[in-house]
Amino acid sequence: MRPFLATALATLLLWAVPAPGSADAGPDYGDAIVVGSIGDATTLIPMLASDATSHEIAGLILNGLVKYDADLNLVGDLAESWEVSPDGLTITFHLRHGVRWEDGAPFTSADVLFGFRTITDPKTPTAYAGDFLEVREASAPDPYTFRVTYKRPFAPALSSWSNLVVLPRHLLEGQDITRAPYARHPVGLGPFRLARWRTQDRIELVANPTYFEGRPYLDRYIMRVIPDPATMFLELKSGGLDWMNLSPMQFERQTATPFFRENFRKYRYLSFSYTYLGYNLRSPLFRDRRVRQAISYAIDKEEVVRGVLQGHGAVATGPYKPDAWFYNGRVRRYPHDPARARRLLAEAGWIDRDGDGLLDKDGRPFRFTVLTNQGNTSRALTAQIIQYRLRQVGIDMRIRTLEWTAFINDFIDKRRFEAVILGWTMGQDPDLYDIWHSSKTGEKELNFIGYRNPEVDRLLEAGRRTFDREARRRIYARIQEILAEDQPYTFLYVPMALPIVHARFRGIRPAPAGISYNFIRWWVPRDEQKYIMP
């Protein structure tokens, strides 16, 4: 390991950093980036993973047929090009030639077909089969052509082929994918290869020298699992990390020092995610919509944005962020109104009959436990504010934080919760079928709160059947109106993404897609490199 080299360029503005390939600097190969994560991955087979960490790591090892570019346009990935039939039902993908799995086997359309058959196999426990069950016929007419024909028009068809399906047939055919060693020892074709995975400690990747888009400039990607955000920040400050997502407090105050200004770069943009308080609708406590609406009125969401996010975010009114083309800002809102909350609770039969300060019904006090994950300071603080506000209307909310993997495997997947504070990362297409359709409430599926609404089901299905953008806008606007009335979640906030990256990394170009879309083109000048490949 080289000692850390302070950069003379560190005081320049981000946009003054020389671009890769410019005459006066780099790009150079070498070095490693060390990234902090509050949770470990669960599996590196994307179709089996429901957590963001697993998808982030798997996304560096495996590719999809298409991907999103800096401006959120769909472009080719393993597919060089594609054609859509005039009736919109058939897509023919033309795959790249010369791509090889890391064991040397050629990548062909048979791998795509094998992945498609795996994700649509009823024995595969995946939350993502729905998009692919729309396909009537899939075929691989030659090694570099993959063709799918849909049963009916399916608007998210093209984007669904972005990152879930491709698997090496020659390694996995005939195996039970849920028991396959591949989940922890993947053989990929992406920009990086798995070098080491120490559970609950770190995952180390090395650059793939034969990657079809060119070898990444960085030699290694190391993800360290650090569940405690305060410890993670200390690691960043001491040089043990190069990249982490800051909390608002860390962004505003703890990094406003000459040390951080000289050695790091901070970024800020509206994230593709939102945070919510979700109710287990199977619980008698939350079956009455008036109770859920009352809780939403009892919570001061502006207070949460101010107090928890330090203003780095926006109040959420539904499952989309405000700058999306399908966002509907004219839905029912829930400003802080504790008097209205009490009235709704009384209408639902919740009254303080024994004078102890807690509402009760049928001899039971209104008390429940909310679960959230360790390592997310914003969610923990949000829970405390909600606890305080609910106590003011007579509801006793207990808070329990859990390690991420156990939280997902033992509580979410098994539906063992009353309420949760969690977040969703949103895609570029408005389709929400997997999260809100009533058919997606089974084990390991994403509608884990058990929401069922026939009109939402119908609209979700209709939204998938038209390519007309205005028609889709109207459909998803109506879905947002219904969700705002039903309040299966109390939609809390859309946070700003606040990543910080060490200043020695060049090539970072903020764009509508964020900062990581061009990660394989990040680089470090040779005289600033910190790590040497062993």
Side-chain angles (χ1 to χ4, degrees), residues 44-46 57-64 101 166-168 182 187-191:
L44 296 181
I45 299 177
I57 298 296
L60 294 170
I61 298 172
L62 294 162
N63 292 61
W101 296 94
V166 174
L167 289 173
Y182 187 90
V187 173
L189 42 57

Side-chain angles (χ1 to χ4, degrees), residues 274-281 286 289 292-293 295-297 299 301 316-320 332 334 412 417 419-424 432 434-436 445-451 482-492:
Y274 67 91
T275 297
Y276 61 89
L277 169 63
Y279 310 103
N280 189 336
L281 301 179
F286 302 116
R289 183 171 71 176
R292 304 192 297 271
Q293 291 176 337
I295 292 175
S296 294
Y297 279 121
I299 298 169
K301 291 176 279 295
T317 58
Y320 301 124
R332 179 171 177 171
Y334 295 83
I412 296 297
F417 65 91
V420 296
I421 295 178
L422 273 174
W424 285 118
L432 294 170
D434 287 333
I435 295 176
W436 295 108
E445 292 189 303
L446 303 185
N447 185 359
F448 52 80
I449 64 168
Y451 179 67
I482 297 170
L483 293 177
E485 286 293 328
D486 281 351
Q487 290 291 288
Y489 297 165
T490 291
F491 297 95
L492 294 170

Side-chain angles (χ1 to χ4, degrees), residues 50-51 403-414 422:
S50 58
D51 60 289
E403 182 275 323
W404 176 253
T405 306
F407 182 27
I408 297 300
N409 292 338
D410 298 337
F411 292 88
I412 296 297
D413 285 350
K414 296 178 180 174
L422 273 174

Side-chain angles (χ1 to χ4, degrees), residues 142-191:
D142 67 56
Y144 299 104
T145 303
F146 178 70
R147 181 173 295 128
V148 285
T149 300
Y150 287 81
K151 302 170 187 173
R152 44 197 171 174
F154 183 58
L158 189 58
S159 63
S160 71
W161 295 96
S162 58
N163 58 7
L164 284 168
V165 173
V166 174
L167 289 173
R169 186 187 71 165
H170 66 289
L171 297 175
L172 288 169
E173 190 168 38
Q175 295 189 35
D176 177 352
I177 195 170
T178 64
R179 300 173 182 271
Y182 187 90
R184 288 191 63 91
H185 305 282
V187 173
L189 42 57

